[in-house]
């Protein structure tokens, strides 16, 4: 494999941490290097860690 044309570029990693999800994106630091092939992004959605207890009016942890 020829790595002579691959140079290390500085990148920016952005994270969006939510209650039940994580979103991420990575892109070049220099806007002039930006194109569709070097923009990566994704997300991960998790199950909620609490269950609604309408009768008691509060959320109960699933491990209770």
């Amino acid at each position: 494999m020829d790595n002579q044309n691959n140079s290390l570029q500085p990148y920016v990693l952005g994270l969006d941490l939510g209650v039940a999800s994580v979103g991420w994106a990575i892109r070049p630091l220099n806007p002039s290097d930006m194109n569709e092939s070097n923009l990566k992004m994704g997300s991960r959605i998790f199950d909620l860690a609490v269950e609604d207890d309408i009768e008691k009016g509060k959320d109960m942890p699933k491990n209770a």
Side-chain angles (χ1 to χ4, degrees):
M1 189 192 282
D2 186 12
N3 289 333
Q4 290 179 351
N5 294 332
N6 295 338
S7 62
L8 295 177
Q9 297 177 0
Y11 281 85
V12 175
L13 172 64
L15 297 173
D16 178 19
L17 304 175
V19 174
S21 64
V22 175
W24 63 272
I26 189 165
R27 56 158 284 189
L29 184 61
N30 187 352
S32 65
D33 294 337
M34 187 69 188
N35 62 42
E36 287 184 23
S37 67
N38 60 10
L39 173 65
K40 308 294 183 203
M41 63 184 114
S43 63
R44 173 77 171 131
I45 300 173
F46 304 100
D47 293 331
L48 290 176
V50 295
E51 293 180 358
D52 290 332
D53 191 353
I54 297 171
E55 293 176 9
K56 295 181 182 179
K58 61 181 179 179
D59 293 335
M60 295 293 297
K62 286 186 177 181
N63 63 354

